[in-house]
Amino acid sequence: MVAPPSILSSSATPTQKTLYGTQSVSQNSVLSRPSIDRDGLQSPANGMGARIPSNSNMSFAPRSSSLASSPAPGSFSSDMRSQLASSRAASRLDVSSTNLERLEEHNDDGRVSEQMISTLRENLNRELKIKEGSENMLEALNTKKAKQTKEQRAKVEAELTSSNQRIKDLKGQISDLQQPKLPTTPTRGRMAGLFQTSGLRSPASLAKSTAGSEYDEATESPTYALAEVLQALEIEGLMPEYYVGHANNLVELFKRHPTLKYDLVWSVFGLRMQVMLLSESRDVVAAGYRMTRHAISDINSLQKIRTLNTDYLVNLSLIKEKRADVEREQALKFVRAFLEVKDGVHEISKGIVRTIVAVAEHEEDRLKAICIETLAEIMIKDPPLLISAGGLGHLTNALGEGTYDASEGLVSAFLFMLDAPQRRKYLRSGYELETLFTVFTDSLFTREKILKQNAKAISSVMKSWPGLMTLSMYNFRAIRSLISSLILPYPSTRETILDILFGLLQIKPPSWSASFLAGRRLTTYGRVANLKASSLNKGAQFSSSAEDETAEKDLVDHYTALLLAVLISSDMLPALLQVTKEADTQMLRRKSTLLISEVLKLANKLLPSSWSSDLQLLPELFSAAAHFGADERYDATGTVYQIDSVSRTLYRSAPLTAVPLTNSTSNNSTENLARFEDTLKNNANLAFDETTFRQMLLDTQVLSSTNYLKWNWDIILKIIEGPLLNGKRLDEAIKASKFIKRVVSFYRPFKYKFAEARNTRPNQKYVKVGCALMHTLLQTTEGVRYLADNKLLRQVAECLAQCDPTSGLTAQSPMFSQLRLSETLCSGYFAMLGTLSGDPRGLQMLDRWRMVNMMYHIIDLKQRPDLIKLLLSSFDYSLHGHPRVLLSKALTAGSKDVRIHGTNVLRRYSSRYQPKASSSQGVGDSKWAIQLLVTQLYDPEVEVCATAIKILEEACNRKHYLEYIVECRPALDHLGEIGAPLLLRFLSTSIGYHYLNGLDYISNEMDDWFLGRNDAYVGVIEAVLARAFLETSDEPSATASLDDDIMDFDKLDNVARVPPHFYRELARTSEGCKLLREKGHFDEFAVIIRDNGMETEDADIILKVKGCLWAVGNVGSMELGAPFLEESDVVQHILKIAENHEVMSLRGTAFFVLGLISRSTHGLEILSEYGWDSSTNIMGQSLGLCIPQNLGKLLSYTPWRHEKASEILVHEMQADVIASAKKDGDPINQRILNLIGDLINTVLTKRAINELNQIKLQKAPGFKQPQLFRKVMVILECHHFVLMIRRIIVDLFDKSVMRQIVLDEESSEEDMDSDEGSQAATERQRSISVAPDEEGL
């Protein structure tokens, strides 16, 4: 705190002493940051060595000394304003002299104090000149050689240091002499005037000694502290840092006591605010805005602030030059604070909005971006205000021209406006969104940065219902323009459009795409067979698809199918084929070829046969390829070959079980075929003759070099996974050559080869080969014997013992330290130990070297959670034994993070793929994992329980697993909402239904969903879909993770998962359908959809309709629930909503619901009668991806008539104010008003400015009249002026005018006029209003 000691000396309590002695202004680096997020202000002298009085300098008098009979200047008495007014009326010299006399603490002679201060300031100026000369000398010396000027530089630096110290001392002495004496006022009377409530200090806080103690918030009296700060701000004539410091302390007080601002008396606080905002110091004005912003509490406080004429002050602050950026920034944040209060936007005047628009239009203004964001928020909350202020056009230009970097956020504001008809009428039938495509269609406007920026915005638009439906108007005009831009011969434009199409269709380029685009042949890389095998294994491991349920991303696939249909209708494929023929670079041709292949594959999977059958033929391409004699035939033939080659590679490299929309039966047969192919391949690897085997050993370079960097690790891996599985070959490699010896020696820790390799993704091949080596050695007797006798495991055990506190072994730098595990491949040893733990003989070796005992001790270590997580992630738990016991111990005795990590490990084993598991075997080896997961439901930490719930919910997708989980009878009552999803999954089987019915869960939950949860589900599902379409960067990290499987499991939580619906699970069983029929809930939903389905105004009714739609769709998606659809005849009403509703998001909800209905056979038959078709699998089962045969049914929005700014009605009184502002009885004032009006016309601007300057030089009295200033502000509010013109107009007036207006210091005649003017101003401050017959404005 920067309060002078004398202020506290007369009436401060010990607690107040603590408050003011410890709250110093310490925000030294705030002003240096240009960010708009800065929320603190700094005294301007702090960065230049300003002295802040410490607590030790303060003296305190007895509290009784403040009880004076007459109020002093510091008291909050009734005649305070007259005292301030009289002091302002005096001359500046008298004011300065009076302040100095009042600030004197020990000397009563003011003249002596004034002389001392004058002398000190002269010395200070001299020292400042010395400092400046020293700095200039240093700059000159910097241009010379350092050796030649070393001594001279040292002397100058010493002089500069001493000068800085003297400057600091002089400023401190001046500050000491300027410390004012606190005015003595009765404390009780002051507090009674400040607050409506009593704020007396408790006896405990009065008795507490504060000598040498820190500030304690519990003992602070906020009312007293506020009173002292306001008293300190009352004093005039001090340094700017004094007021900035007190304002910052007041802000901190408001932050510590948020309810304090509700007790403010604005007649007192407002006067302090006005005086600060009228200060000549920019920092003081900024501090005033910040202080006032934190005092805002509700709409009433905003209204009180506006009565203090803050609109004029904000307008003047915003139009100032760049050097006043701190003040402008705080003024803008002050305006933005209005938006955070409910209905606060209605208290923002049109004049302020016009000023913000002027700032946003200024290209080089630092506040341009935040002004655009502010205008976007105003558009969302009060569209008429923005449109009448001329802000909509600038937002549209900023969106199209790319001047606003966060274009996706700006797009979301326009999408919100487009959704509902009452907001949509202010926009021009999608013109605002079409400006995004200008950069693609206009070759002169194309720039790389704007292309990328608008591409992200276009992706956001097309991934939303309002955006897609708006862009589909006029027969997909905007989308067709984007697709047709592929024909333009601009590589950057073409590449950006291709990236947009990849993103919109959710196409992730395969792993080999980079090599393919670089020009390599498809047969020379990729290891497609190995890739397919690994993806098969991982897919089998992660597979959790239900027997009668498709993947959880069905809704995303449904929307992707619609997008694909729209793009195909917009002639996407012909444009892509054109790129393959005419692209300048080979990379673009290959990229378009890859996209064509992906589109054909996606169309075959997502679109109905009526859409995809003709698409697969590519008639234009084959027609050109079959046209013999033409030169184009060769290009077309090459394209056909490339598409065929890419399609085959995509098929070979696609993970078999990763396709979510494939029937489980076909999956199993395909997987069995793939496993048969893998068996043939492995057998082929084993069948090497002697010559081939020896040649392969030589090709590895292991025998010819000991440098592992020269070894061919691909061949090494092929040998280890192939011939060495034969005991004879392995024995030969051990005894007849040094192959095995050198490879195993490479992995020995104390050889420091493998252990010192960096943990990067390319180096993961060493870990992979090491794990394969462990696996191969365990397969034969020779390998087991060699591994047991080798030093490898013994040294690994020694390294592990270094981490075991009970082993007695220590090391200065342990091999398995946290740093080495993260930076080097030492973590790869745990992957090898995990391979050993998956084999009985490997477990015996671990036990032989006492590694299992060490692991038990390490599990108890609280200091190494990283090591524990690595152990848990690396173990193979497929066998009964120590690994499972270790995991169970970690799940119960570990820390919170370890328990969560261990619970995630169980996901791998809770729903394992078991190709040989029959219905009699059921769960099989996963029982132990499910039992541990059920145990985790009783963990004291909610996060652990939630993780277990998610994993069990995934396991419930398999019927046998679900039945076993129900048999475990988990108690979930203590988890509340967290356990609800798992309980819902229990409903999908008869066993679970009867179990929950016995707990009386079903009836209670059913009533709960019917009365409220059904509506809440709407928000949940919409949030899930928004998260699914959110674009995330998939940049690979430089370092690789060994527990990739665990990482993949963790990523499953980030994938948008459709939350379970109660009525969907209920309709899975006949018992549930019977209960649903008895309750009559489905009929109630159908009635609401029929009666209120077309509502467009009431948000609550729209939410209710959405909830009913999701309930009907989930019931209709089940075969047992489909009969409800025909009985209620609700499908035709849903179709009516999807095809004709005015709210775009509600149309989208109906579209998704129709997709759910199409999953059942009966529902698909009903939809086919209305012209909607769905894709099916090879078994004829619907996949729930239903789209209309004619897209115009769904995307048939007709243009609407938009409201113009001139059509927004204005009250008659407001019109009179505007008319009177353009007239004045004084001819000179009238001329001034006319010239200001001419400034709107750019042709007349120069002449009008020159004439206004001439009038000012003639000292026209009008520029000192508040009445004329008010009229000019009305003109500025009603018309658009650029920022420079606004600044010129305001600079014409004398600075005293604003002080007269804000503090009401006008003559009696002007006061009479101002009474009328204030009423008019109050009416004008909201220059647009709601007409009696208009709603929604």
Side-chain angles (χ1 to χ4, degrees):
M1 180 123 183
V2 295
S6 60
I7 288 184
L8 303 177
S9 61
S10 60
S11 62
T13 64
T15 305
Q16 292 167 346
K17 176 180 176 181
T18 304
L19 168 67
Y20 288 104
T22 56
Q23 293 182 10
S24 61
V25 181
S26 59
Q27 298 131 329
N28 294 328
S29 61
V30 177
L31 283 179
S32 61
R33 285 193 300 127
S35 173
I36 194 64
D37 295 328
R38 180 174 67 240
D39 197 30
L41 290 173
Q42 169 189 341
S43 303
N46 285 356
M48 299 181 293
R51 182 174 179 268
I52 300 175
S54 64
N55 194 16
S56 61
N57 294 333
M58 299 183 183
S59 60
F60 295 86
R63 184 161 183 84
S64 58
S65 63
S66 66
L67 300 177
S69 58
S70 61
S75 65
F76 298 106
S77 57
S78 59
D79 58 345
M80 176 183 59
R81 171 167 293 189
S82 62
Q83 293 173 3
L84 288 176
S86 63
S87 65
R88 284 189 294 267
S91 65
R92 190 66 187 168
L93 181 59
D94 294 338
V95 171
S96 177
S97 176
T98 303
N99 287 336
L100 289 175
E101 291 175 3
R102 186 173 53 183
L103 294 176
E104 185 66 35
E105 182 177 4
H106 298 295
N107 196 344
D108 294 333
D109 190 358
R111 290 174 296 177
V112 176
S113 176
E114 185 177 356
Q115 292 175 0
M116 292 177 62
I117 292 177
S118 177
T119 304
L120 291 173
R121 284 179 176 170
E122 290 178 1
N123 295 334
L124 179 62
N125 292 332
R126 183 171 61 253
E127 293 296 335
L128 289 174
K129 291 179 181 178
I130 294 174
K131 176 185 176 182
E132 183 179 0
S134 301
E135 291 175 347
N136 293 336
M137 179 65 72
L138 280 177
E139 291 182 3
L141 294 175
N142 287 335
T143 61
K144 301 180 181 180
K145 293 184 179 180
K147 294 183 179 180
Q148 298 177 358
T149 61
K150 183 177 182 181
E151 295 181 0
Q152 193 174 2
R153 184 191 305 274
K155 294 180 180 179
V156 176
E157 289 177 349
E159 181 64 28
L160 181 61
T161 302
S162 61
S163 179
N164 286 331
Q165 183 62 37
R166 287 194 294 270
I167 290 173
K168 182 178 180 181
D169 295 338
L170 288 171
K171 286 184 177 180
Q173 295 176 22
I174 294 174
S175 178
D176 289 340
L177 290 174
Q178 286 183 336
Q179 290 171 354
K181 188 174 182 178
L182 184 66
T184 57
T185 54
T187 304
R188 193 174 185 83
R190 179 177 72 247
M191 300 313 298
L194 264 179
F195 302 99
Q196 292 92 349
T197 59
S198 176
L200 295 181
R201 188 181 300 276
S202 63
S205 63
L206 285 172
K208 181 174 179 179
S209 174
T210 59
S213 62
E214 294 292 332
Y215 167 74
D216 188 3
E217 292 184 13
T219 62
E220 178 188 25
S221 176
T223 54
Y224 275 89
L226 178 61
E228 297 294 344
V229 175
L230 293 180
Q231 263 190 315
L233 290 175
E234 181 182 349
I235 303 170
E236 297 185 12
L238 299 181
M239 299 289 288
E241 57 265 25
Y242 171 81
Y243 301 100
V244 173
H246 281 289
N248 285 340
N249 289 330
L250 184 57
V251 170
E252 294 300 323
L253 188 64
F254 282 143
K255 289 181 178 180
R256 289 195 303 271
H257 305 281
T259 59
L260 183 62
K261 53 190 175 184
Y262 293 95
D263 295 332
L264 283 175
V265 174
W266 282 94
S267 59
V268 178
F269 179 82
L271 182 59
R272 308 295 181 273
M273 175 198 71
Q274 288 176 316
V275 173
M276 291 189 68
L277 295 181
L278 288 171
S279 173
E280 296 181 359
S281 172
R282 295 186 292 267
D283 299 304
V284 174
V285 177
Y289 281 123
R290 181 171 180 254
M291 178 183 70
T292 310
R293 171 164 55 91
H294 283 84
I296 295 174
S297 57
D298 52 18
I299 190 68
N300 293 328
S301 64
L302 295 180
Q303 294 170 353
K304 292 175 182 176
I305 290 173
R306 295 196 64 205
T307 59
L308 301 175
N309 298 310
T310 53
D311 288 355
Y312 297 114
L313 296 167
V314 171
N315 274 312
L316 264 62
S317 295
L318 289 176
I319 64 177
K320 289 186 177 180
E321 297 179 352
K322 289 183 178 180
R323 56 189 176 186
D325 271 352
V326 176
E327 175 184 341
R328 299 172 68 235
E329 177 181 322
Q330 291 297 327
L332 185 57
K333 295 174 78 172
F334 171 72
V335 176
R336 288 179 58 81
F338 282 51
L339 301 174
E340 299 175 3
V341 179
K342 183 180 180 181
D343 296 330
V345 67
H346 303 306
E347 296 299 325
I348 302 177
S349 68
K350 187 170 74 172
I352 291 180
V353 179
R354 280 200 181 273
T355 305
I356 295 176
V357 172
V359 177
E361 288 178 345
H362 198 256
E363 291 295 332
E364 299 179 356
D365 201 292
R366 192 177 68 90
L367 301 181
K368 176 184 177 66
I370 194 64
C371 285
I372 293 176
E373 183 179 343
T374 304
L375 294 176
E377 294 182 26
I378 294 175
M379 179 178 68
I380 291 175
K381 297 190 175 186
D382 194 350
L385 174 60
L386 180 81
I387 293 174
S388 63
L392 181 61
H394 180 68
L395 287 181
T396 304
N397 294 337
L399 187 64
E401 296 173 1
T403 56
Y404 182 61
D405 292 337
S407 56
E408 294 174 82
L410 188 55
V411 157
S412 62
F414 281 102
L415 295 177
F416 174 80
M417 295 288 293
L418 286 168
D419 188 28
Q422 58 269 25
R423 299 188 298 266
R424 190 188 311 140
K425 63 183 180 181
Y426 297 109
L427 303 181
R428 291 174 289 178
S429 298
Y431 165 78
E432 289 78 12
L433 295 184
E434 289 184 355
T435 57
L436 287 169
F437 298 84
T438 306
V439 67
F440 294 95
T441 56
D442 188 355
S443 59
L444 300 178
F445 191 64
T446 301
R447 290 199 299 270
E448 186 73 21
K449 178 182 177 182
I450 302 178
L451 276 174
K452 300 297 183 182
Q453 184 172 305
N454 285 21
K456 292 182 179 180
I458 291 173
S459 297
S460 299
V461 169
M462 295 191 68
K463 289 180 180 179
S464 67
W465 285 111
L468 179 61
M469 293 185 177
T470 302
L471 296 180
S472 299
M473 295 171 59
Y474 308 106
N475 192 23
F476 310 106
R477 181 178 66 186
I479 301 176
R480 287 179 184 273
S481 68
L482 178 68
I483 298 299
S484 61
S485 299
L486 285 170
I487 304 176
L488 299 177
Y490 302 110
S492 60
T493 302
R494 285 175 167 174
E495 184 177 2
T496 305
I497 295 176
L498 291 178
D499 291 337
I500 291 175
L501 296 178
F502 271 106
L504 288 177
L505 298 178
Q506 305 284 325
I507 298 174
K508 293 184 178 180
S511 59
W512 45 265
S513 61
S515 300
F516 171 69
L517 296 179
R520 297 177 62 185
R521 295 180 59 190
L522 289 173
T523 56
T524 60
Y525 60 88
R527 301 287 181 185
V528 176
N530 294 337
L531 180 63
K532 186 175 181 180
S534 62
S535 62
L536 173 64
N537 296 333
K538 186 174 291 188
Q541 189 176 11
F542 294 170
S543 177
S544 59
S545 59
E547 295 176 359
D548 57 347
E549 182 177 336
T550 55
E552 295 166 341
K553 292 182 63 178
D554 276 346
L555 297 183
V556 177
D557 289 332
H558 194 191
Y559 190 83
T560 304
L562 179 63
L563 271 179
L564 181 59
V566 169
L567 292 174
I568 291 174
S569 301
S570 303
D571 301 328
M572 176 180 63
L573 278 178
L576 291 176
L577 291 173
Q578 189 77 9
V579 174
T580 60
K581 299 177 184 177
E582 301 177 356
D584 298 331
T585 63
Q586 190 71 16
M587 190 273 291
L588 276 179
R589 293 186 180 183
R590 286 177 170 254
K591 194 169 187 177
S592 60
T593 301
L594 178 62
L595 181 58
I596 292 173
S597 303
E598 292 279 9
V599 166
L600 295 177
K601 175 184 173 183
L602 203 61
N604 185 48
K605 183 178 73 172
L606 300 182
L607 294 181
S609 56
S610 57
W611 279 84
S612 61
S613 56
D614 296 337
L615 193 67
Q616 304 291 334
L617 299 177
L618 295 176
E620 299 90 349
L621 182 62
F622 279 95
S623 175
H627 193 270
F628 295 93
D631 294 338
E632 297 179 355
R633 172 179 175 271
Y634 301 103
D635 294 335
T637 304
T639 303
V640 171
Y641 168 77
Q642 287 281 5
I643 293 175
D644 177 65
S645 179
V646 171
S647 299
R648 289 175 179 272
T649 308
L650 284 174
Y651 170 76
R652 292 197 302 268
S653 62
L656 298 177
T657 56
V659 181
L661 301 174
T662 311
N663 184 264
S664 58
T665 305
S666 61
N667 267 348
N668 293 336
S669 61
T670 312
E671 291 165 2
N672 292 334
L673 179 60
R675 284 186 172 80
F676 178 71
E677 294 176 354
D678 293 341
T679 303
L680 293 179
K681 182 194 69 172
N682 293 333
N683 291 335
N685 291 336
L686 291 172
F688 280 119
D689 57 19
E690 187 73 20
T691 305
T692 305
F693 176 64
R694 292 180 179 273
Q695 184 61 41
M696 289 182 66
L697 290 180
L698 294 175
D699 293 341
T700 61
Q701 303 297 322
V702 174
L703 302 180
S704 60
S705 174
T706 58
N707 186 356
Y708 69 93
L709 296 177
K710 297 182 179 180
W711 296 353
N712 191 326
W713 288 93
D714 292 334
I715 300 179
I716 293 175
L717 180 62
K718 187 175 181 180
I719 292 175
I720 291 175
E721 292 181 340
L724 294 188
L725 291 174
N726 188 323
K728 180 181 177 181
R729 296 293 187 195
L730 179 61
D731 189 62
E732 180 182 352
I734 294 173
K735 297 179 179 180
S737 69
K738 297 182 179 180
F739 178 79
I740 293 295
K741 179 181 178 181
R742 289 187 175 180
V743 172
V744 174
S745 177
F746 163 74
Y747 287 100
R748 283 164 55 182
F750 298 135
K751 289 289 186 178
Y752 296 104
K753 295 181 179 179
F754 175 79
E756 291 296 325
R758 305 298 298 173
N759 185 16
T760 60
R761 191 164 295 276
N763 285 352
Q764 291 301 305
K765 60 186 177 183
Y766 303 139
V767 181
K768 183 178 181 181
V769 172
C771 295
L773 180 63
M774 296 294 109
H775 177 266
T776 298
L777 292 177
L778 292 174
Q779 303 307 308
T780 58
T781 306
E782 295 83 356
V784 172
R785 187 185 310 112
Y786 180 82
L787 186 60
D789 296 338
N790 196 271
K791 297 180 181 179
L792 173 62
L793 293 183
R794 184 175 62 188
Q795 292 186 4
V796 173
E798 184 177 346
C799 296
L800 198 61
Q802 295 174 358
C803 300
D804 181 7
T806 64
S807 65
L809 291 178
T810 59
Q812 186 176 2
S813 178
M815 186 67 68
F816 294 151
S817 64
Q818 186 172 359
L819 179 62
R820 293 179 65 90
L821 288 178
S822 60
E823 298 294 333
T824 67
L825 288 183
C826 287
S827 53
Y829 288 113
F830 292 91
M832 300 179 197
L833 295 180
T835 303
L836 294 176
S837 65
D839 189 276
R841 287 173 288 188
L843 285 174
Q844 291 177 4
M845 292 184 185
L846 294 179
D847 194 34
R848 174 189 175 188
W849 296 108
R850 301 293 187 269
M851 279 190 268
V852 175
N853 294 342
M854 300 175 194
M855 292 174 187
Y856 278 109
H857 298 152
I858 292 174
I859 292 292
D860 295 331
L861 284 179
K862 303 298 182 183
Q863 300 85 1
R864 294 298 306 275
D866 60 308
L867 188 58
I868 299 174
K869 291 180 181 179
L870 192 56
L871 277 172
L872 298 179
S873 304
S874 304
F875 277 141
D876 188 338
Y877 301 97
S878 56
L879 299 178
H880 294 280
H882 290 291
R884 293 187 183 181
V885 180
L886 284 168
L887 178 60
S888 178
K889 182 178 181 180
L891 291 175
T892 54
S895 63
K896 174 184 172 182
D897 292 338
V898 170
R899 298 202 305 274
I900 293 177
H901 187 82
T903 306
N904 279 320
V905 170
L906 290 172
R907 180 186 266 115
R908 188 189 316 172
Y909 300 93
S910 61
S911 55
R912 299 187 66 184
Y913 178 80
Q914 298 171 0
K916 297 181 181 180
S918 61
S919 58
S920 60
Q921 291 175 334
V923 182
D925 289 339
S926 297
K927 284 186 177 181
W928 69 273
I930 293 177
Q931 291 172 356
L932 288 178
L933 284 171
V934 172
T935 304
Q936 292 303 98
L937 297 178
Y938 309 106
D939 193 277
E941 294 292 341
V942 178
E943 291 86 346
V944 180
C945 300
T947 305
I949 287 288
K950 291 179 182 179
I951 300 173
L952 288 174
E953 188 182 351
E954 295 169 7
C956 288
N957 288 329
R958 293 182 179 273
K959 184 178 180 181
H960 298 304
Y961 290 84
L962 173 58
E963 292 176 351
Y964 182 73
I965 294 173
V966 175
E967 290 178 6
C968 294
R969 303 182 67 84
L972 301 174
D973 296 340
H974 64 289
L975 296 178
E977 293 296 327
I978 298 177
L982 184 58
L983 290 175
L984 288 181
R985 301 308 299 267
F986 288 179
L987 287 175
S988 59
T989 62
S990 297
I991 298 176
Y993 178 88
H994 291 295
Y995 168 65
L996 295 177
N997 193 34
L999 300 176
D1000 201 20
Y1001 167 82
I1002 297 178
S1003 59
N1004 295 334
E1005 190 72 6
M1006 195 172 189
D1007 295 338
D1008 191 15
W1009 273 79
F1010 183 75
L1011 296 176
R1013 292 276 294 281
N1014 205 33
D1015 300 339
Y1017 181 83
V1018 176
V1020 175
I1021 190 68
E1022 290 181 352
V1024 167
L1025 291 173
R1027 183 182 178 189
F1029 286 117
L1030 184 64
E1031 293 185 355
T1032 55
S1033 60
D1034 295 326
E1035 298 179 358
S1037 58
T1039 59
S1041 175
L1042 287 174
D1043 50 344
D1044 287 336
D1045 294 341
I1046 298 300
M1047 293 299 105
D1048 290 336
F1049 285 129
D1050 294 338
K1051 290 177 183 178
L1052 291 178
D1053 295 338
N1054 297 327
V1055 177
R1057 301 178 63 251
V1058 177
H1061 198 285
F1062 175 80
Y1063 291 101
R1064 175 187 176 88
E1065 306 301 327
L1066 194 66
R1068 289 180 183 273
T1069 60
S1070 57
E1071 296 89 345
C1073 292
K1074 181 179 179 181
L1075 178 64
L1076 184 61
R1077 191 179 301 276
E1078 293 174 355
K1079 291 280 188 177
H1081 288 184
F1082 191 91
D1083 296 333
E1084 292 286 343
F1085 297 148
V1087 169
I1088 292 175
I1089 294 173
R1090 182 177 63 249
D1091 296 342
N1092 303 304
M1094 303 305 293
E1095 175 65 35
T1096 60
E1097 298 288 341
D1098 195 326
D1100 294 333
I1101 294 180
I1102 293 176
L1103 179 63
K1104 189 74 174 177
V1105 171
K1106 285 184 178 181
C1108 295
L1109 285 173
W1110 284 112
V1112 168
N1114 279 282
V1115 172
S1117 64
M1118 297 291 102
E1119 293 294 342
L1120 295 176
F1124 288 95
L1125 299 174
E1126 189 171 7
E1127 295 173 4
S1128 60
D1129 198 20
V1130 71
V1131 177
Q1132 62 175 344
H1133 300 290
I1134 299 176
L1135 286 168
K1136 183 179 179 182
I1137 294 174
E1139 296 174 358
N1140 301 311
H1141 205 282
E1142 289 296 319
V1143 178
M1144 296 181 178
S1145 60
L1146 191 55
R1147 275 199 188 190
T1149 301
F1151 173 78
F1152 285 131
V1153 169
L1154 291 175
L1156 292 175
I1157 291 175
S1158 68
R1159 293 185 184 181
S1160 63
T1161 305
H1162 193 66
L1164 182 59
E1165 293 175 356
I1166 297 176
L1167 289 174
S1168 62
E1169 297 175 0
Y1170 291 96
W1172 287 62
D1173 198 2
S1174 176
S1175 59
T1176 59
N1177 58 13
I1178 58 177
M1179 304 298 294
Q1181 298 174 344
S1182 174
L1183 300 178
L1185 308 179
C1186 184
I1187 61 174
Q1189 296 175 357
N1190 179 13
L1191 290 179
K1193 290 184 177 181
L1194 179 66
L1195 307 172
S1196 58
Y1197 262 95
T1198 56
W1200 57 86
R1201 181 183 177 276
H1202 74 281
E1203 288 197 12
K1204 303 177 182 178
S1206 58
E1207 298 175 353
I1208 298 177
L1209 301 180
V1210 179
H1211 278 314
E1212 184 177 351
M1213 184 177 296
Q1214 294 173 344
D1216 295 340
V1217 171
I1218 296 173
S1220 62
K1222 298 180 180 180
K1223 298 178 181 179
D1224 196 286
D1226 190 337
I1228 298 179
N1229 292 350
Q1230 182 63 49
R1231 182 57 181 165
I1232 292 174
L1233 294 175
N1234 293 338
L1235 290 173
I1236 290 176
D1238 291 342
L1239 292 176
I1240 304 173
N1241 191 339
T1242 55
V1243 178
L1244 304 176
T1245 298
K1246 186 175 181 181
R1247 181 185 61 80
I1249 291 176
N1250 293 333
E1251 190 169 348
L1252 285 171
N1253 289 329
Q1254 292 177 2
I1255 296 175
K1256 183 179 181 181
L1257 291 176
Q1258 297 172 2
K1259 298 183 179 180
F1263 290 130
K1264 295 183 179 181
Q1265 296 175 359
Q1267 183 179 1
L1268 180 62
F1269 183 82
R1270 289 194 178 98
K1271 291 183 178 181
V1272 170
M1273 294 303 293
V1274 173
I1275 295 175
L1276 292 178
E1277 181 178 342
C1278 299
H1279 302 283
H1280 177 67
F1281 295 86
V1282 297
L1283 185 61
M1284 185 63 67
I1285 298 298
R1286 287 176 174 269
R1287 189 178 300 153
I1288 292 174
I1289 293 173
V1290 172
D1291 288 343
L1292 293 171
F1293 287 86
D1294 192 83
K1295 293 182 179 180
S1296 61
V1297 175
M1298 181 55 64
R1299 192 175 189 90
Q1300 295 175 31
I1301 292 176
V1302 174
L1303 297 178
D1304 297 330
E1305 295 179 348
E1306 303 180 33
S1307 62
S1308 58
E1309 293 89 2
E1310 291 175 344
D1311 285 341
M1312 296 177 60
D1313 296 336
S1314 65
D1315 290 338
E1316 299 177 1
S1318 62
Q1319 295 178 3
T1322 303
E1323 190 67 27
R1324 176 185 51 78
Q1325 284 174 358
R1326 173 82 169 126
S1327 23
I1328 58 174
S1329 61
V1330 183
D1333 56 342
E1334 289 285 325
E1335 295 182 1
L1337 295 181

